[in-house]
Amino acid sequence: MAAHGSLTRRAPLGAEDERAIHHLLLRYATGIDTRDWPLFRTCFAQDCEADYGSFGHWRGQRDITEYMERAHRHMGETLHRITNIVVENRNDEIVARSYVDAMLTDQVQGVTHRATGYYDDCLIRTADGWRISRRKFTMVKAGLDG
C-alpha cells in the first residue's frame, strides 16, 4: 500500500460498513486470544495475502490460520489489543490501518513477550461480510515485558 498522503480519497464508507470493519479487526484479536481458529479464519478472504515481516508470509486463509494455531499452541494467555482503526475508501479500494499491542505469555520460557506495531489492510466485501484480502504488519517495537 502506498503512503497515506499519496492516494486520492473517495467517498467515505457508510457507518454500517465502518462498524462491520471495526468488528472484523476486533474479531481477529478475539480469535487469536481465545484460540477460536474457525472464528479467526473468518477474518480473511480465501485467497488473502499476509505479510508479517520476519514472522512470515502466507497466501490463503488456511495457511495463515494454520501458522497462527501452531505459533500459539504452547502459549499461555495472550492479549492482542487493536486500536486507532482508520478505514478509508482510496482509489476505489477499502483500506484500514490499525494499531496492535500484543502481549504473549510463553509457558515454556515463563516470560511475556510484547510486540507493538500496525496493520495495513485491504478489505473486500464478500457474501459473508467484510474480509481482509491483503495485510502488511509493520513492527514498531518488540521485546520482553518487564
Side-chain angles (χ1 to χ4, degrees), residues 62-75:
R62 183 173 144 200
D63 286 348
I64 190 170
T65 302
E66 287 175 355
Y67 169 80
M68 291 295 181
E69 185 174 0
R70 281 191 313 275
H72 291 83
R73 185 169 291 141
H74 300 291
M75 289 284 171

Side-chain angles (χ1 to χ4, degrees), residues 6 24 26 28-29 36 40 46-47 49 54 60-61 69 72 86 121 140 145:
S6 65
L24 162 68
L26 297 176
Y28 166 86
D36 185 339
F40 177 87
Q46 285 189 6
D47 61 348
E49 294 178 32
S54 62
Q61 68 181 186
E69 185 174 0
H72 291 83
V86 176
D121 296 321
V140 173
D145 200 23

Side-chain angles (χ1 to χ4, degrees), residues 40 47 49 67-68 91 104 106 108 122 128 130 136 140:
F40 177 87
D47 61 348
E49 294 178 32
Y67 169 80
M68 291 295 181
N91 294 335
L104 304 102
D106 186 323
V108 175
C122 291
D128 296 318
W130 287 96
K136 179 168 178 22
V140 173

Side-chain angles (χ1 to χ4, degrees), residues 10-22 87-89 94 125 130:
R10 299 284 187 225
L13 285 172
E16 187 175 320
D17 284 323
E18 193 163 335
R19 276 192 304 275
I21 291 167
H22 280 237
V87 181
E88 296 177 314
N89 182 345
I94 305 304
R125 186 193 324 253
W130 287 96

